[in-house]
Each structure stands twice: as C-alpha cells, then as structure tokens.
Amino acid sequence: MSAKNDGARTGRVERTTKETSVLVEINLDGTGKTDISTGVGFYDHMLDQLGRHGLFDLTVKTTGDLHIDTHHTIEDTALALGAAFKQALGDKVGIYRFGNCTVPLDESLAQVTVDLSGRPYLVHTEPESMAPMIGSYDTTMTRHIFESFVAQAQVALHIHVPYGRNAHHIVECQFKALARALRYASERDPRAAGILPSTKGAL
C-alpha cells in the first residue's frame, strides 16, 4: 500500500495485491463530489452516500477478482478508504474529534457515534435475518466493511440499527449516518484552533 499527502486535508492511497487494485482519494474539506467504481453496484451507491453526506470529495477506483465473488473487492476498498481517511486527518489539531448522527430511512433507523481516537474499535449491531443479497452485494459484508475501515482509520466506531425491515434501507441508513458522524468529528472547531483534542497530548 502506498500513500501520499501534501499537507492539505487530503489522502491518496493505492493498494495492489494479486486479488485487487484499489485507488482512493479523499478531500475532507470538499463539497461531496464523488467518482466511484468498484464493480459492485450497491457498494458504489453506499460509497457515493458516504462522500455526498460527509461533504468529502471522494474518488474510488477498484478492479478485483469479481469472477470469484465480491469479498476481496469490498474488503480491500474499505481498507484503502480507512487508510486514506487517516492520512487526510493529519495531526488532528483543531478538530472536534467526536461526532454522532441518527438517520432514518423510511422504516429503518441508524445511530452512529465516532471518536477519532487513534484506537481502532468497532461495535456494530443490525437486525438479524436480513435478506442475504442486494444485487451482487452480500449483506454480511456490511460489518466487515466497517471492521476494515476502522482497522486502517484507527477510530472508535459504534453503529446501532435498532430496527428496520428492508435490507437496502438498513444498510443505506448506516452509511448516511456514518458520513455525517465522520463529517462532524473531522470538522475544525473554531474555538479550539491549534489545540489537540486530547488530555494525553497525542491522538
């Protein structure tokens, strides 16, 4: 995995294995412009939600071994996305650090809270007995996407979907709430300019 950062709040990560080739570029101070292509239609839709509702300019270009299944493509994209997000955060000086958002989507509801703590941790709950597939997207991958993102972004992430019926809605409200929570946590706090939001002196 290679990465580049020029001092702006941007991240660029390229990840290449025998299974996938992934490019992710993100600008935390963007306008929600997205250019997404993973070969998994519903996943593209979710990453588009992440960029648009987070107001992140987000480019994702993935080619993978879809002749096997979608697992490696989805997982490696999430890993690269997490690494790019961490890179874009930089030293975290002056940010809010914490963010939360609750998003409804018709009958479904997602509650997301994030701490840009430098410590990876995921708590994730969603209704059981969901439809197993949304197009070519395996719904059991949703938790693994967040596991992979958290591992590389090094954030604490709690996602709770207390109820929902439609699988598309259950997954989509999670990505929308995550987008807003990450946006709120990563935004600069005008009252804390130049201050690292930690009593330890490091994040």
Side-chain angles (χ1 to χ4, degrees):
M1 184 183 292
S2 64
K4 182 180 180 181
N5 188 280
D6 60 4
R9 294 223 308 169
T10 61
R12 185 180 191 276
V13 169
E14 294 181 80
R15 175 187 173 92
T16 301
T17 70
K18 293 181 179 180
E19 298 166 340
T20 63
S21 176
V22 184
L23 167 66
V24 174
E25 296 177 331
I26 189 168
N27 178 0
L28 300 185
D29 302 311
T31 59
K33 180 180 177 181
T34 64
D35 184 9
I36 313 293
S37 178
T38 67
V40 183
F42 183 75
Y43 194 31
D44 290 355
H45 181 44
M46 293 303 97
L47 295 175
D48 184 52
Q49 301 299 321
L50 188 68
R52 289 179 184 271
H53 291 284
L55 290 184
F56 308 134
D57 290 344
L58 179 62
T59 296
V60 177
K61 300 293 182 182
T62 302
T63 56
D65 53 0
L66 295 177
H67 62 286
I68 296 176
D69 66 10
T70 63
H71 186 104
H72 298 142
T73 296
I74 291 173
E75 176 184 53
D76 289 1
T77 299
L79 289 167
L81 178 62
F85 184 82
K86 179 178 184 294
Q87 182 188 130
L89 278 176
D91 60 15
K92 304 179 187 176
V93 169
I95 65 169
Y96 282 102
R97 175 178 168 177
F98 305 100
N100 66 83
C101 188
T102 298
V103 169
L105 182 53
D106 295 348
E107 85 297 339
S108 300
L109 186 78
Q111 301 164 330
V112 173
T113 302
V114 64
D115 175 10
L116 307 182
S117 61
R119 300 184 304 276
Y121 202 93
L122 175 68
V123 177
H124 180 266
T125 61
E126 64 182 6
E128 297 181 359
S129 303
M130 289 172 57
M133 302 295 293
I134 305 171
S136 62
Y137 178 87
D138 178 352
T139 57
T140 65
M141 287 298 293
T142 303
R143 179 179 298 177
H144 192 49
I145 289 168
F146 299 137
E147 288 172 339
S148 301
F149 176 82
V150 161
Q152 292 296 318
Q154 296 185 349
V155 302
L157 178 61
H158 290 240
I159 298 177
H160 179 48
V161 182
Y163 47 81
R165 182 181 65 255
N166 179 274
H168 187 131
H169 293 169
I170 290 170
V171 178
E172 184 170 340
C173 65
Q174 293 178 63
F175 275 87
K176 286 179 173 177
L178 174 62
R180 285 298 179 113
L182 289 174
R183 172 183 165 185
Y184 300 150
S186 62
E187 283 184 338
R188 294 185 173 98
D189 182 350
R191 296 182 60 195
I195 300 173
L196 186 71
S198 172
T199 57
K200 295 187 299 183
L203 281 176

